[in-house]
Amino acid sequence: MGDEVARHEFTREDRTRYRTKVRRCLDVFARMLRESRFDFQRPMAGLEIELNLVDEAGDPAMRNTQALEAIADPDFVTELGQWNLEINVAPRELGDDAMPGFEETVRASLNEAEHKARDAGSHMVMIGILPTLQAKHLAVDALSVNPRYELLNEQVLAARGEDLAISIDGVERLQLTADSIVPEAACTSTQFHLQVPPEAFASYWNAAQAIAGVQVAVGANSPFLLGKELWRETRIALFQQATDTRSDELKEQGVRPRVWFGERWITSIFDLFEENVRYFPALLPICDAEDPLAVLERGDTPSLAELRLHNGTVYRWNRPVYDVVGDRPHLRVENRTLPAGPTVVDTLANGAFYYGLVRMLAEEERPLWSQMSFSAAEENFLAGARNGIDAQVYWPGLGTVPAAELVLRRLLPLAHEGLVRLNVDPVERDRLLGVVEQRCLTGVNGATWQARVFHQHYDHSSLDRPEALRRMLRTYRDLMHSNEPVHTWPVG
């Protein structure tokens, strides 16, 4: 969905033509897999971080157009809401200098962008959900000024046929109806990309699914929405509901949601693309002029534009990616489970834990997913989102255990060995995994820090909720720039 799309009115003929074309792309993709036409020489990794813009008080700043003009950096792009931006970090080979290279690049880019954004009356915040958002900020006119967002909004609501209903039960309860997909813009995430060879894709995707619950538990950073304290990673529930094209009747019939954990372990990346085509009608039936079969048969690389666009409208928490760089196709796992923030070092610690752990699990002789039901992995995911670092999760051979204990006893050593195999610098490896270890030992991640500081302000003073949340966020913003990991942040 990052691709530009023009304003469009879709006809029945458009949808019929698109369905035919996307199935043709799927057939060509299957042939490319059989003929091993994919680039893979070394493990490449990439990173995207979604950001929020706030004003001096800490309230949303609807100024992403002005901020982008001031930043003037092609790595920064718009996102769905006018208070959102995204930074795309150039991929690099996982190895000695990968993690410090990512950290240096992101910190330098964000510092420069923050300096320039101030001229547009904005500050940038890396956080899963901006806690100072209010219902008035979620009107349809808060969509970014870009035809693709307006078009997506129209198609989601047309498919659903009624307003969106959002209901989240957590520490408190929130019920909301929305006449647009703008609530989705409240969800700001970090996306880790990992390029893998076709024959190993299923193992890496299965491994990423298996650890999703633990990832969310230790990295949770979204405890508030519209003034209510909900899940520790409220973003998970909100994102699913804010893009749901199903009416209540379709839910009862078992129609799959477009934000989807999945329902089974896979044996090939083809399984995921084939499910996309089989289960999900087109949201944006836009056809490209390319004939993918003709391109393939003349020895060139097809873009598979329709298949890629369709894949971009099915929001798996671990998404398969087909891409072409320098006329060479490759495959990636896009890990979308984690929120943005709290700091760059926290983000890279999450990345080191993920990259090291999936490397080890994908290469085990007896795969983890042969010992664990897919439904158990999904239950872990929801438990991690609801309860954060206090979650209880299931793990083969251990049963149900505290997520923090599982990380300390079992998963950090595996991640350590995985980073050794990836040739990550030992000092960086130990520093970043040490951040995850200390979160588990102290019980503090972004979500618990936010909740504790909010309650200090709200429970022990005369501040109302909006002002207590603003004060917490302003402190968060200042500490974010220190790049000290969140478990070290003062609460008082």
Side-chain angles (χ1 to χ4, degrees), residues 326-356:
D327 202 39
R328 293 287 294 169
H330 70 260
L331 304 176
R332 303 195 303 268
V333 178
E334 180 189 11
N335 179 252
R336 303 160 50 83
T337 61
L338 287 167
T343 64
V344 175
V345 71
D346 282 301
T347 300
L348 270 296
N350 291 336
F353 182 60
Y354 168 72
Y355 289 129

Side-chain angles (χ1 to χ4, degrees), residues 158-384:
R160 183 176 172 82
E162 57 190 67
D163 286 351
L164 294 161
I166 295 168
S167 178
I168 305 173
D169 286 317
V171 178
E172 298 175 289
R173 188 180 187 195
L174 175 70
Q175 289 189 297
L176 171 72
T177 58
D179 61 0
S180 74
I181 62 170
V182 173
E184 180 195 336
C187 306
T188 39
S189 66
T190 297
Q191 292 128 43
F192 295 113
H193 290 255
L194 182 62
Q195 184 178 337
V196 296
E199 65 275 11
F201 185 94
S203 294
Y204 275 89
W205 187 86
N206 289 342
Q209 291 287 100
I211 66 168
V214 177
Q215 273 190 287
V216 172
V218 298
N221 195 30
S222 311
F224 296 102
L225 175 62
L226 301 185
K228 297 290 185 72
E229 186 177 355
L230 302 168
W231 292 11
R232 285 305 185 236
E233 190 49 42
T234 304
R235 182 182 123 267
I236 300 299
L238 176 60
F239 190 47
Q240 178 164 331
Q241 296 181 39
T243 55
D244 201 340
T245 57
R246 304 170 302 163
S247 64
D248 288 344
E249 292 80 6
L250 290 178
K251 293 177 189 176
E252 291 296 326
Q253 293 169 33
V255 172
R256 281 84 173 170
R258 293 196 90 97
V259 176
W260 197 30
F261 189 79
E263 60 190 18
R264 62 183 175 124
W265 306 117
I266 65 169
T267 58
S268 165
I269 187 175
F270 184 80
D271 295 348
L272 301 178
F273 282 104
E274 192 271 337
E275 283 181 348
N276 288 354
V277 175
R278 179 154 42 104
Y279 292 147
F280 299 100
L283 276 184
L284 300 172
I286 300 169
C287 285
D288 188 80
E290 176 190 85
D291 179 344
L293 183 58
V295 171
L296 187 68
E297 290 190 336
R298 70 170 181 254
D300 293 329
T301 301
S303 68
L304 305 184
E306 294 81 8
L307 192 69
R308 291 168 65 191
L309 179 60
H310 191 57
N311 186 52
T313 64
V314 180
Y315 305 96
R316 295 176 185 271
W317 295 108
N318 284 291
R319 179 188 272 165
V321 176
Y322 167 89
D323 206 353
V324 181
V325 176
D327 202 39
R328 293 287 294 169
H330 70 260
L331 304 176
R332 303 195 303 268
V333 178
E334 180 189 11
N335 179 252
R336 303 160 50 83
T337 61
L338 287 167
T343 64
V344 175
V345 71
D346 282 301
T347 300
L348 270 296
N350 291 336
F353 182 60
Y354 168 72
Y355 289 129
L357 189 52
V358 294
R359 172 63 182 261
M360 288 300 293
L361 295 178
E363 295 182 355
E364 285 189 334
E365 287 188 17
R366 186 184 177 197
L368 178 68
W369 44 98
S370 70
Q371 309 165 56
M372 180 182 187
S373 70
F374 194 87
S375 62
E378 184 172 17
E379 288 166 10
N380 284 350
F381 183 61
L382 294 175

Side-chain angles (χ1 to χ4, degrees), residues 383-398:
R386 284 194 183 100
N387 302 312
I389 208 157
D390 296 321
Q392 300 275 328
V393 296
Y394 171 79
W395 200 258
L398 297 177

Side-chain angles (χ1 to χ4, degrees), residues 53 60-66 81-83 122 133 136-138 142:
L53 295 172
M62 306 293 183
R63 300 175 186 144
N64 65 0
T65 300
Q66 299 93 319
Q82 290 187 29
W83 70 93
S122 305
L133 280 169
K136 66 182 181 182
H137 299 124
L138 302 183

Side-chain angles (χ1 to χ4, degrees), residues 379-446:
E379 288 166 10
N380 284 350
F381 183 61
L382 294 175
R386 284 194 183 100
N387 302 312
I389 208 157
D390 296 321
Q392 300 275 328
V393 296
Y394 171 79
W395 200 258
L398 297 177
T400 300
V401 295
E405 181 182 334
L406 173 65
V407 172
L408 291 168
R409 287 176 50 192
R410 184 68 63 90
L411 303 187
L412 275 174
L414 285 173
H416 183 282
E417 179 59 27
L419 295 180
V420 170
R421 295 188 186 187
L422 288 166
N423 298 315
V424 172
D425 177 76
V427 173
E428 287 301 305
R429 176 195 66 211
D430 293 346
R431 180 176 74 98
L432 294 173
L433 292 184
V435 170
V436 176
E437 178 185 46
Q438 287 302 311
R439 278 191 222 150
C440 293
L441 290 171
T442 61
V444 176
N445 59 12

